[in-house]
Amino acid sequence: MITVNYFGNIAEAAQSSSETLDHDSMSLVDLLELLDSKYSIAQFPFQVAVNRKIVSKQQALNISDSDEVALLPPFAGG
């Protein structure tokens, strides 16, 4: 199972703050394409974190069982 956490506009589009996908393994690119087909996430600016580490959306990374992926909107600091 792969856990995906959503924040900001993406959480609103998914109508959830998280979901668990029944996949043992998939590439990050395939995961993002799957989520875009479900929730049209490509329309939003966001960063991706895998196991709490920011990674490039284009990175050739394999997401495995028990990994946690977060889709993070831009944050304003102050």
Side-chain angles (χ1 to χ4, degrees):
M1 301 279 208
I2 297 170
T3 300
V4 183
N5 296 313
Y6 305 114
F7 297 90
N9 290 338
I10 297 175
E12 291 176 17
Q15 298 182 350
S16 178
S17 61
S18 68
E19 95 180 273
T20 303
L21 303 175
D22 191 18
H23 291 274
D24 292 331
S25 177
M26 66 189 322
S27 73
L28 176 60
V29 171
D30 288 344
L31 173 63
L32 294 176
E33 287 175 359
L34 171 68
L35 297 176
D36 188 47
S37 71
K38 291 172 73 172
Y39 308 121
S40 300
I41 64 171
Q43 67 182 314
F44 304 112
F46 65 93
Q47 290 185 305
V48 177
V50 177
N51 298 324
R52 300 177 187 242
K53 181 180 176 188
I54 301 290
V55 299
S56 167
K57 292 182 216 177
Q58 309 305 322
Q59 188 169 339
L61 183 65
N62 196 47
I63 308 299
S64 301
D65 188 34
S66 78
D67 280 344
E68 181 178 69
V69 177
L71 306 186
L72 307 167
F75 292 97

